Amino acid sequence: MTIIPPNNQPEIYKMKKSCLFLIIVLASIASIGQTISSPSTLLQVSFKLTSNGVPTYSVSYKKTPVVLESSLGIKLKETTDLASNFIIDKTETSSFNENWSPVLGEQSEINNHYNQLEITLYQAKTKRILKVIFRVFNEGIAFRYEFPKQDQLNYFIISDELTQFNLTGDPKTFWIPGDFDSQEYAYNETKFSEINTDIINKNNGIGLKSIASKFIVQSPLMMKSTTGLYLNIFEAAVVNYPVMHLDVAPTDFKLSAHLVPNALGDKAYLQTPAASPWRTIMVSNDARDIVSSKMILNLNEPCKLKDVSYIKPMKYVGIWWEMHIGKSTWDYAGSQNAQNAADGQLKPSGKHGATTENTKRYIDFAAKNGFDAVLVEGWNTGWEDWFGNWKENVFDFTTPYPDFKIDEVARYAKSKGIKMIMHHETSGSVANYERHLDRAFENMLKYDYPAVKTGYVGRIIPRGEFHDGQTMVNHYNFVAQRAADYKLMVNSHESSRPTGYSRTYPNYIAAEAARGNEFNAWSTGNPPMHETILPFTRLLGGPMDYTPGIFEIKMNHYDASKKEQVHTTLAKQLALYVTLYSPLQMAADLPENYEKHPDAFQFIKDVAVDWQASKYLEAEPGDYLTVARKDKHSDNWFIGAITDENARDTEIKLDFLDANKRYEVILYQDAKDANWETNPMAYEIKKQTVTSKSTLKLHLAKGGGAAISVKVIK
């Protein structure tokens, strides 16, 4: 950091030169600017000040403009903005190159290689300092604002961030509307100029909750230019700061940062020294570079935990899908008995899912099939009147329903070698959850629950706060930090989307934070292209608990009047275990549905969830994705291939395999007459022997996929 000299002037003012010479030097620095390139030299960022001292940047790739000159700056509340009248006090360049190993991940080693430009800006009138830091990786650039410790800027309130992203044309864009409370939307695929959040995608099945403007979209924003260049705008290391959405000027091809406000309309409360999250722009003419990038993780701080021995990947089943399909309920008494429940007069409805006996059935199934854990939702009191009422004290997170004997379940699970996953639904009452948090975690330790699934359905209490605001970002991170004190893992649902914080706190093992598989049970569902977009957007920030593995595709199996269905084939549900990365993977369907298809279920039993290497073989956002991953603990590989609503035939090379080994391939793919809409459960299984010189021909049906197990022949 730059230290202000005793006379409160930057170093450049200590030069014993004439004022005229100083003005000439500063004007020269501002006009020439600073440029820094990626290690490959293909990507370049230029920084300069305008004539009135406004900081700007631009980005080029292979000497072609990608982001035109765009303004930077911070708007402060009740004081002079950090947005203009700057001079450049100091610049520093450096390079960094290291390999680090994630506790859990898509690969056992990650390379973090970038060139850095640090620019110290000074406002002569206010005597304030602002730093802008650029890091340029081979696949993208990142920049952030830093606020050094200084007398002239101590505690301050950000009312807006003035970051711009001015594009060069009208790219194809994959976007969801700027709802500050939810990311659970199906993606729209339009030209940039056609973005308009008045478009309510017919596949969403839910209405907008808190749109602040007609033209706000969420990041990450995935784009493809008319020349075939892939762009992705996102952020990394969102800590003590609100989530960044994006204001859109559709016909001008311009984007600007839109920070989520708090109940007072303020964006962030900070005290120096402080820093903003990194704003990121990924650029490549190969989509595989975007989807495989670890830039977001690299921009986060290294792991802060000394003991990570308790952080383990998990494959689980649970009492969950049966509630979504209407077979059972979360509540014990039923909503019609809500008042009696409130009075402590619980009368069973007969449909409660989280009973002791039903839980034992899932434990038996998990133990029989080699799973690690069982999730139970609806085990605790409060579900009769929890949703949409803005009530503060619905759950206490420790009191089970009368028909869920938590101690008996814990003993039974232990006897079968199965771990239990706790469920804490907050109903948006975050203040209540934080009051109970330590007791809730102590309860988990008492009954040997190593992981918790948190939920944040509903409007946030404190009232007026949004899921994506600074207060809630701090809450999600605090829960992970506090869980680490208890050596517990966290899987958050309905939280803000991850931005790589799992590198710093790897016990934050997974999150939902997008439209998951559950929407297929009771809404218009997720369109077939949905899962081909998520790896280019939501999953760039961290693993997603998508809950794949639904075998009974059509919901009329349970109720003849239902028209809902999963918008994939059964084979694609298998492939999702590979294409949608998570070290926490659920076999989400009912045990009896797996028992009908033991041959297909074998892939779920076999597939790994922690990896030593990942190869993205084919990628096109919105269309298809093919990924090969190597098990961290063996020489076996697993491949997943998925497509959108269009059928696809492809051929993949197996040249990533060990040249000295032979492998048995088990191919789970769509049958010739399979179709996600008309014949989704038709699949076939083939076996063959391969080497690194072999190729595999795959047929993917409409909305289909292929899952491939590649095991070493000993």
Side-chain angles (χ1 to χ4, degrees), residues 245 282 438 481 551 575:
H245 291 234
M282 296 184 192
D438 285 289
Q481 295 165 17
F551 279 16

Side-chain angles (χ1 to χ4, degrees), residues 80-86 121-128:
T80 305
D81 296 336
L82 294 169
S84 61
N85 300 313
F86 282 112
L121 302 174
Y122 180 76
Q123 279 183 328
K125 186 175 182 179
T126 66
K127 299 180 181 179
R128 288 176 177 164

Side-chain angles (χ1 to χ4, degrees), residues 321-482:
W321 186 251
E322 63 182 67
M323 283 87 97
H324 285 285
I325 63 174
K327 178 183 176 182
S328 62
T329 64
W330 283 271
D331 59 77
Y332 169 83
S335 57
Q336 70 276 13
N337 293 319
Q339 185 56 52
N340 289 336
D343 294 338
Q345 301 173 21
L346 296 173
K347 298 179 181 179
S349 67
K351 290 195 68 177
H352 186 218
T355 66
T356 301
E357 293 308 311
N358 197 27
T359 305
K360 287 183 176 181
R361 183 171 71 92
Y362 277 85
I363 292 172
D364 288 341
F365 180 79
K368 176 182 176 182
N369 292 286
F371 284 79
D372 302 298
V374 172
L375 166 74
V376 180
E377 294 199 10
W379 68 275
N380 57 325
T381 58
W383 288 91
E384 281 74 22
D385 193 23
W386 70 283
F387 177 71
N389 294 318
W390 224 343
K391 291 186 175 182
E392 189 156 356
N393 299 307
V394 177
F395 299 108
D396 68 8
F397 314 101
T398 57
T399 305
Y401 278 123
D403 60 350
F404 184 79
K405 306 298 183 184
I406 189 170
D407 52 349
E408 182 179 339
V409 167
R411 287 193 300 270
Y412 191 78
K414 185 176 182 179
S415 73
K416 297 287 185 174
I418 296 298
K419 296 293 186 181
M420 298 297 297
I421 298 176
M422 181 58 73
H423 183 233
H424 291 163
E425 175 55 60
T426 68
S427 64
S429 183
V430 178
N432 178 56
Y433 188 42
E434 290 188 357
R435 284 194 296 270
H436 288 87
L437 192 61
D438 285 289
R439 281 167 284 180
F441 285 168
E442 288 166 1
N443 193 54
M444 288 177 60
L445 292 183
K446 179 180 178 180
Y447 294 107
D448 195 23
Y449 284 67
V452 59
K453 174 183 176 180
T454 58
Y456 297 92
V457 175
R459 294 176 293 176
I460 297 299
I461 301 174
R463 289 166 174 78
E465 298 292 341
F466 293 112
H467 284 71
D468 285 352
Q470 182 187 27
T471 294
M472 287 305 298
V473 167
N474 288 345
H475 167 80
Y476 306 132
N477 291 345
F478 168 72
V479 171
Q481 295 165 17
R482 196 71 181 115

